Amino acid sequence: MSEQNPKYQPGFIAKVFAFLLTLALIAGAFPQVAMAAPAPSTTVTCVKYHNVESGDTLSAISVKYDVSIAELAAANNLQEPYTLFVGQRLCIPGSTTSTTTTTTTSSSKTGWSATRDGNYLVITVTNFPNK
């Protein structure tokens, strides 16, 4: 008498099915990660657009336009880790209220500027106090 292959013994398929069903029930008993509810629709006003170039990062773009990373991510529906693609067009959010900026030509005023030079952020400070 030859031995039968276990796959073909009566009840093998029923046992496999019962095992898989048990695993599914156990997995269903664990708490599930809640899906985030869709955020209430908010209107984002794009004051500018930025075309992503090679080497751009969300943090560098946020510095360039004086906008927080969170605001940029929300305005462009970006999820962490905030992957950007060359040629991607990003909305630079802002408010529709205009602010008046006055420029002083006095040389005693302390000022600063931040510019990008390749992969470096260059911060220039003028009239830095000696104290």
Side-chain angles (χ1 to χ4, degrees):
M1 182 177 227
S2 65
E3 290 187 32
Q4 290 182 339
N5 190 339
K7 287 193 288 189
Y8 301 112
Q9 290 181 357
F12 178 76
I13 293 177
K15 288 178 185 177
V16 170
F17 180 73
F19 176 74
L20 292 176
L21 182 61
T22 304
L23 284 179
L25 290 173
I26 291 172
F30 287 103
Q32 301 295 315
V33 176
M35 296 293 288
S41 63
T42 57
T43 304
V44 175
T45 303
C46 299
V47 292
K48 292 182 183 181
Y49 289 93
H50 177 84
N51 288 324
V52 176
E53 297 175 359
S54 179
D56 279 353
T57 62
L58 203 61
S59 62
I61 295 168
S62 73
V63 169
K64 180 177 181 177
Y65 295 103
D66 194 27
V67 177
S68 74
I69 294 174
E71 290 172 320
L72 273 176
N76 293 285
N77 297 321
L78 299 175
Q79 302 295 321
E80 287 190 51
Y82 305 131
T83 304
L84 301 177
F85 302 97
V86 173
Q88 183 177 1
R89 188 175 184 210
L90 296 178
C91 165
I92 308 301
S95 63
T96 56
T97 59
S98 61
T99 58
T100 306
T101 305
T102 56
T103 305
T104 309
T105 57
S106 171
S107 62
S108 64
K109 183 93 172 167
T110 301
W112 64 276
S113 65
T115 57
R116 183 175 158 215
D117 182 18
N119 290 332
Y120 300 99
L121 178 63
V122 179
I123 299 174
T124 307
V125 179
T126 55
N127 297 322
F128 192 73
N130 292 332
K131 296 180 183 178

